[in-house]
Amino acid sequence: MADGVPLTLYIATADMAVAEASLFADAYHCDAVARSDAAVASLPRAKFLALVRNHPDAALSLIETQAKEVQAQRARIEILRLRRVAERLDAWMDLYGEPDKGEWINVANQIGVSAPALYRELAKRRD
């Protein structure tokens, strides 16, 4: 962001693609941070596009994956439009359920609140 504050747009997990939007961009100005051990594979753009053109099933799988990602991003936008931390957390949990142990920090990033604000809300719910 222009003000220097990081913004999490996407959290990839095992076997997920990252930076695929760069296939059709002249310049792509983002980065990725691995928060755990990760193996990353890359392909030159021309080779990737040739593979997609020559393997229709792979192309359909890619389209399906991207459509699901668009749906997830639209849901995230709706969550981010909510004003209160409690509302955002309720909406996120309605969609995804309770996260695994140690994953609350990712929930905070996904719903656009600080970790302390999320932890205060969780503490209220425990009382």
Side-chain angles (χ1 to χ4, degrees), residues 37-87:
D37 291 342
V40 179
S42 66
L43 285 173
R45 178 179 181 224
K47 185 173 182 177
F48 180 84
L49 293 175
L51 287 168
V52 170
R53 284 185 187 104
N54 293 322
H55 295 87
D57 289 343
L60 286 173
S61 177
L62 182 63
I63 291 168
E64 178 183 6
T65 299
Q66 294 307 305
K68 288 177 180 176
E69 183 57 32
V70 168
Q71 293 167 350
Q73 290 299 332
R74 288 178 179 164
R76 185 166 184 250
I77 289 166
E78 289 299 318
I79 290 170
L80 292 173
R81 292 182 65 211
L82 299 170
R83 294 188 186 272
R84 296 179 32 234
V85 174
E87 293 171 333

Side-chain angles (χ1 to χ4, degrees), residues 4-118:
V5 176
L7 174 64
T8 301
L9 295 176
Y10 181 68
I11 296 176
T13 57
D15 299 324
M16 294 178 77
V18 295
E20 62 278 12
S22 64
L23 287 168
F24 302 101
D26 294 331
Y28 200 69
H29 54 283
C30 71
D31 67 357
V33 176
R35 294 196 173 145
S36 62
D37 291 342
V40 179
S42 66
L43 285 173
R45 178 179 181 224
K47 185 173 182 177
F48 180 84
L49 293 175
L51 287 168
V52 170
R53 284 185 187 104
N54 293 322
H55 295 87
D57 289 343
L60 286 173
S61 177
L62 182 63
I63 291 168
E64 178 183 6
T65 299
Q66 294 307 305
K68 288 177 180 176
E69 183 57 32
V70 168
Q71 293 167 350
Q73 290 299 332
R74 288 178 179 164
R76 185 166 184 250
I77 289 166
E78 289 299 318
I79 290 170
L80 292 173
R81 292 182 65 211
L82 299 170
R83 294 188 186 272
R84 296 179 32 234
V85 174
E87 293 171 333
R88 289 182 184 194
L89 181 57
D90 287 342
W92 190 92
M93 289 183 68
D94 284 347
L95 288 171
Y96 304 109
E98 189 165 323
D100 292 334
K101 185 177 180 179
E103 292 298 314
W104 285 108
I105 188 72
N106 290 331
V107 174
N109 288 332
Q110 289 175 22
I111 67 173
V113 301
S114 68
L118 178 62

